[in-house]
Amino acid sequence: MQISNNKTFLGLKESIFSNTTKSDVDGIELKLNSEDGDKIKELLELPDETICEMASKMDCLSSAEDGTYELSVCYSQDRKFAALQLAKYMAFKYRPVTGVRFVENETAESLLKILLK
């Protein structure tokens, strides 16, 4: 398991952290237009080495208010770990179009550079 939770303050608060880096984990959801969603789908299907190369050539993606795609991202604060899943709006709800992709180290950093501002 790549992430764990830790109960603190008499069990009333939970913090989630990356097992590999021991850094706190946050999460976001981004709505993306069709063009950016297609780019991310292509990236998530590539091997790690190619993701770094392709992401370095891309500009930062911006969230679209009524996006065709929704990208769920959990990432460590040190940006050395990320879990991503892309969904597409079909039949009145977002449905996954990729599996959950776990990335670490340089691959996570390169992906998060284009996703987080």
Side-chain angles (χ1 to χ4, degrees):
M1 188 155 201
Q2 300 202 10
I3 59 174
S4 298
N5 64 344
N6 187 20
K7 292 193 183 271
T8 58
F9 191 67
L10 304 172
L12 299 175
K13 181 181 175 191
E14 282 188 77
S15 63
I16 299 174
F17 63 93
S18 164
N19 285 335
T20 53
T21 67
K22 304 299 183 220
S23 180
D24 286 342
V25 172
D26 275 332
I28 60 169
E29 285 187 344
L30 295 172
K31 301 273 197 267
L32 301 171
N33 63 32
S34 293
E35 183 180 333
D36 288 344
D38 290 340
K39 288 178 189 176
I40 291 296
K41 184 176 186 296
E42 183 181 325
L43 274 178
L44 295 179
E45 294 170 344
L46 295 172
D48 285 1
E49 314 79 51
T50 311
I51 288 176
C52 293
E53 182 183 329
M54 297 294 289
S56 69
K57 298 175 186 174
M58 294 175 66
D59 293 327
C60 190
L61 301 180
S62 57
S63 188
E65 193 170 311
D66 295 323
T68 307
Y69 287 94
E70 181 178 72
L71 181 64
S72 300
V73 183
C74 289
Y75 63 96
S76 61
Q77 288 294 311
D78 62 5
R79 297 188 179 198
K80 298 285 186 185
F81 164 81
L84 307 98
Q85 184 173 36
L86 185 66
K88 187 172 184 177
Y89 193 77
M90 299 181 284
F92 302 107
K93 66 190 255 185
Y94 285 99
R95 299 176 188 274
V97 292
T98 67
V100 177
R101 176 71 188 263
F102 295 97
V103 290
E104 294 180 332
N105 302 317
E106 300 84 28
T107 308
E109 289 176 9
S110 63
L111 273 174
L112 293 172
K113 193 177 286 184
I114 63 170
L115 298 174
L116 304 176
K117 294 180 181 177

